[in-house]
């Protein structure tokens, strides 16, 4: 087990959280209605927003608005409004596999996030406790695994649509920062044969245009052999192959679950470690806090705390 970092090192005191779900947002043309969960501190105004994109995995409901409570709860308790959509790829929806875009709905996932930003007025009407409390100029995106791919597209990564050969640009200019958790890396010969055949949209991933500031979080034991032949280093590609400013947090001993960020006591987490989850919670919070509030010292304090311990949980690089 990883030794926890004291929250007094760099994280603000927690406050009670309000969580409301499902909130239904208008989504004309979508195969099913867009449902989101909204988690927010019960007090405060001018609250920054984090759009949180779920991964896939084997569970029925972690890949939905009901997953990722360790992240959503922590970020909301420390001052963020967290909005979690159920993407069309969620097992909880059990859509017909013949639905256009199935099974992973890579384009629709990113479009869900843009739709949420377009519908913030509807969200405030649906959750009146939030009315007038959102800071719409401070918006971030975060995602784990496939959700990391979604986030990377919104931050400026590009790909070629395997169906029609067009270059796809889903960059969302309203998003000012991002967090990519165990996100997919580059395509081409880095992919496994099965990934290249079954997920051809991965083949042309290009991070050279991903200019929005982002923190990439990767586990040094996350080999993801079903997706890549390159081993754990593949998940650092969004940092290595994109322009700065970027940061990379490599967690020692971490697998794809990064200790268990997808949910509390999740059976599919192969590297369960509450200390590691606490580190992910706090370092991602600190990064987003400092990126959205220039001059805030949380990220530097987090970096100092990581290097100060005798048995560090990981290392941080930046460019």
């Amino acid at each position: 087990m990883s030794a926890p970092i004291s929250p007094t090192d760099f994280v603000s005191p927690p406050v009670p959280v309000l969580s409301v779900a499902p909130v239904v947002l208008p989504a004309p043309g979508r195969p099913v209605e867009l449902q989101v969960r909204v988690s927010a501190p019960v007090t405060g105004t001018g609250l920054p927003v984090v759009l949180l994109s779920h991964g896939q995995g084997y569970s029925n409901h972690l890949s939905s608005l009901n997953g990722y409570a360790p992240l959503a709860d922590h970020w909301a308790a420390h001052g963020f409004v967290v909005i979690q959509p159920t993407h069309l790829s969620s097992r909880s929806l059990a859509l017909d596999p013949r639905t256009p875009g199935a099974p992973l709905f890579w384009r629709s996932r990113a479009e869900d996030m843009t739709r949420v930003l377009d519908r913030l007025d509807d969200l405030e009407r649906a959750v009146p406790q939030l009315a007038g409390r959102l800071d719409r100029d401070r918006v971030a995106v975060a995602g784990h695994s496939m959700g990391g791919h979604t986030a990377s597209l919104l931050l400026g990564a590009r790909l070629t649509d395997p169906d029609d050969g067009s270059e796809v640009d889903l960059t969302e200019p309203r998003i000012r920062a991002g967090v990519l958790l165990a996100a997919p890396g580059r395509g081409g010969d880095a992919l496994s044969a099965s990934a290249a055949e079954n997920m051809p949209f991965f083949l042309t991933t290009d991070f050279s245009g991903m200019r929005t500031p982002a923190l990439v979080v990767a586990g040094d034991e996350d080999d993801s052999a079903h997706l890549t032949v390159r081993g754990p280093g593949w998940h650092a590609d969004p940092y290595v192959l994109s322009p700065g400013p970027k940061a990379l947090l490599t967690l020692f001993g971490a697998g794809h679950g990064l200790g268990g960020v997808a949910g509390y006591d999740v059976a599919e987490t192969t590297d369960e470690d509450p200390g590691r989850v606490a580190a992910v919670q706090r370092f991602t919070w600190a990064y987003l806090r400092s990126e959205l509030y220039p001059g805030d010292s949380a990220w530097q304090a987090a970096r100092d705390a990581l290097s100060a311990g005798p048995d560090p949980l990981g290392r941080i690089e930046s460019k």
Side-chain angles (χ1 to χ4, degrees), residues 14-20 38-43 72-80:
V15 300
V17 169
L18 167 74
S19 186
V20 181
V38 182
S39 301
V42 298
T43 59
D73 291 351
H74 181 85
W75 293 339
H78 295 276
F80 288 89

Side-chain angles (χ1 to χ4, degrees), residues 29-83:
R30 198 171 186 267
V32 297
E33 60 192 7
L34 175 58
Q35 295 189 354
V36 305
R37 175 180 296 277
V38 182
S39 301
V42 298
T43 59
T45 59
L47 301 173
V49 175
V50 179
L51 308 176
L52 177 54
S53 180
H54 62 73
Q56 291 306 118
Y58 305 107
S59 301
N60 289 320
H61 293 283
L62 292 178
S63 60
S64 77
L65 57 77
N66 293 314
Y68 293 86
L71 296 178
D73 291 351
H74 181 85
W75 293 339
H78 295 276
F80 288 89
V81 174
V82 183
I83 305 174

